[in-house]
Amino acid sequence: MTQIMHTDPKNSLQREGRLAGLVIAVTGVLWVGGTWAGNYFGWSQSIRGLLDLCALAGFVFGLMVTYRVWRKRRTDEG
């Protein structure tokens, strides 16, 4: 039996919102853990800087997705 999946815009927005929240949360945890590991193991400043840049990229991605969801909801409401 074949089921046709309809794409619900509200479901899509919820999925994107969950993605943004998950990316921001995981990035924060990995950044704190990486900072702790860098201090504990005595990593060089260049490695710590690379870790900070990766965390910054994760946060920017999460914020971009959040902004896109916000814009789509504003467009759908009015």
Side-chain angles (χ1 to χ4, degrees):
M1 181 171 168
T2 305
Q3 290 183 345
I4 299 173
M5 297 189 66
H6 298 285
T7 56
D8 183 16
K10 189 174 182 182
N11 190 21
S12 174
L13 288 175
Q14 290 173 350
R15 189 176 325 119
E16 287 185 28
R18 285 191 303 268
L19 172 68
L22 183 66
V23 166
I24 291 172
V26 169
T27 299
V29 168
L30 290 176
W31 187 35
V32 169
T35 301
W36 175 84
N39 288 333
Y40 185 78
F41 295 115
W43 293 346
S44 68
Q45 291 298 320
S46 61
I47 298 295
R48 293 180 193 187
L50 181 62
L51 181 70
D52 289 342
L53 286 175
C54 290
L56 183 63
F59 286 130
V60 167
F61 175 76
L63 288 174
M64 285 174 30
V65 173
T66 302
Y67 179 74
R68 187 172 59 202
V69 169
W70 176 72
R71 292 287 295 177
K72 283 182 182 178
R73 284 193 179 166
R74 279 189 50 167
T75 303
D76 290 346
E77 289 177 359

